[in-house]
Amino acid sequence: MDFLRPATWQDALAVKAERPDALPVQGGTDVMVEINFDRRRPAALLDLTGVRALADWDPADGRLRVGAGVPYARLITELGRSLPGLAQASRTVGSPQIRNRGTVGGNLGAASPAGDGHPPLLAGDAVVEAESAARGVRMIPVAEFFTGVKRTALAPDELIRAFWAAPASGPQYFSKIGTRNAMVIAVCSFAVALHPRERRVGTGLGSAAPTPRRAPAAEAFIAHELDWDGRGPLSEAAARRFGELVAEAASPIDDVRGTGDYRRRALSVMARRTLTWAWNDHRAGSTGSVGSLGREAS
Amino acid sequence: MRVNLTVNGSHQVVDDVWEGESLLFLLRERMGLPGSKNACEQGECGSCTVYLDGLPVCSCLVAAGQAEGRKVRTVEGLAEGQPGDERLDPVQEAFLEAGAVQCGFCTPGLIVQSHDLIERNPAPTDAEIREALAGNLCRCTGYEKIVDAVRLAAERKAAAS
Ligand SMILES: Cc1cc2nc3c(=O)[nH]c(=O)nc-3n(C[C@H](O)[C@H](O)[C@H](O)COP(=O)(O)OP(=O)(O)OC[C@H]3O[C@@H](n4cnc5c(N)ncnc54)[C@H](O)[C@@H]3O)c2cc1C
Ligand code: FES
Ligand code: FES
């Protein structure tokens, strides 16, 4: 096995072009488990932790460009206000030790249907910035990034540079079902983001289908239903229907963590509750869950 | 391959490191520092917790080569003074006094993780202690004495400063 340590982003792209068989490693919280258990023997490891630029984030064009190597712990402390949905999801990832190392770049690269970063990125219309030495930058909407279970739209010579997302313009919530409060892979998860300026609601479902996905019918229904001008209350019936449409967008499997029926039911409950919290925050004139621990979904 | 790193304040050059091995393996098997324990090799138990550039991480999930040029601090590096004449860190003392150690396998990881908690948050609540230790498993104590120990260590450190 080779161990490749590029010091700059340009070097990293050049190495990846020359060695498409090299497996990128950032926090290692997915990669090292596979190596320790002999599930994977890549010809080479491409260590990205020496590439400083990946660990930075910057405002750009009214959006945030967040380097693929920013760990969850820093997303929570540094970006909790601007990306509250993602920060809430980040708080549920693994343990403090895992959050000190694990990154959204790695979450995207692993492309697990259960990855906790994915639902808030979907709900917030995030875009993945991928790059190769040969073809330059390619902007891939997160909704198009996942192509199958643990498969992504990345070409063999491409690396993830960053993700782009607008700072929250309304309340955002993330909710996750698991057997305890820490260290659990989601049985299923759900993220909602209100975009009041555009009168739109974004959604993201996790552990609910072969890939993370949105619930377009639920989004369209509720965008029309909400009283954006008067900020009137959300009717019980509309919230319930929203939950049903979210559940219908899922195609969950039965596995050791839960049955498909349970997942559908849980998704409808999480969707109804998180939407209600978000809309109530919006009515109260706050952007909501900023800096808080989020709320228990159960 | 060769890896250069600083461990507990001293510069080290380690040769013949396999490219796929973990920092935990390097510390235990190549450097003779068996304090960090190996119980799962998958990030679940926290018994391999060490400081890497000042942040607690699971050393089983850090590739040894990723520690190149970095600073590592293990449980062996918490006590002050020379071997044989050491003064334990208040966190170590508190674990002994509070009866937070039974078989001791989880202890080094818990000590490093608790040490970090108290550095960042000198007066943690019980909920904050439990949250900080959520990634450290103990099969023996039932955790109550561990929480007692962290509380005691925090009080001692506050009193001493
Ligand atoms: C104990 C434990 C608990 C966990 N709990 C959770 C949880 O609650 N929720 C959750 O979502 N995940 C969880 N995970 C999984 C893991 O921590 C996350 O998926 C994390 O985001 C991975 O980030 P990383 O930087 O460690 O990735 P790495 O392991 O370094 O890489 C992961 C994948 O992404 C690729 N990759 C990394 N960076 C790039 C890049 N810049 N360009 C292209 N490809 C790249 C790698 O090649 C690899 O395929 C857990 C893992 C452990 C060990
Ligand atoms: S041995 Fe590293 S977390 Fe268990
Ligand atoms: S004391 Fe035995 S595992 Fe904790």
Side-chain angles (χ1 to χ4, degrees), chain A residues 36 95 97-98 183, chain B residues 22 24 36-49 57-61 105 135-137:
Chain A
N36 289 345
S95 61
Q97 291 96 320
I98 299 296
M183 297 292 264
Chain B
S22 67
L24 176 64
S36 315
K37 297 292 180 255
N38 176 359
C40 76
E41 288 194 291
Q42 52 181 314
E44 296 282 346
C45 76
S47 51
C48 65
T49 303
V57 303
C58 296
S59 60
C60 69
L61 300 183
F105 207 82
N136 291 77
L137 298 184

Side-chain angles (χ1 to χ4, degrees), chain B residues 100-107 110 137-141 146:
Chain B
V101 182
Q102 287 189 27
C103 81
F105 207 82
C106 67
T107 312
L110 274 159
L137 298 184
C138 175
R139 301 295 303 272
C140 304
T141 63
I146 291 172

Side-chain angles (χ1 to χ4, degrees), chain A residues 1-3 5 25-30 32-33 35-37 39 41 45 47-50 71 91 94-101 180 182-183 293, chain B residues 1 18-22 40-46 49 52 55-58 60-63 65-66 68 70 109 113 131-137:
Chain A
M1 196 186 291
D2 295 321
F3 198 86
R5 305 193 73 249
V25 56
Q26 183 74 47
T29 60
D30 281 312
M32 287 304 289
V33 175
I35 292 181
N36 289 345
F37 283 80
R39 285 189 215 127
R41 276 284 173 276
L45 280 176
D47 175 24
L48 295 173
T49 56
R91 283 194 192 90
S95 61
Q97 291 96 320
I98 299 296
R99 295 194 289 274
N100 279 338
R101 287 294 283 176
R180 59 178 278 224
M183 297 292 264
L293 269 168
Chain B
M1 66 176 169
W18 176 58
E19 288 71 13
E21 83 189 34
S22 67
C40 76
E41 288 194 291
Q42 52 181 314
E44 296 282 346
C45 76
T49 303
L52 178 65
L55 291 177
V57 303
C58 296
C60 69
L61 300 183
V62 176
Q66 292 186 301
E68 173 72 33
R70 313 259 174 206
Q113 186 62 21
E131 171 80 24
L133 302 184
N136 291 77
L137 298 184

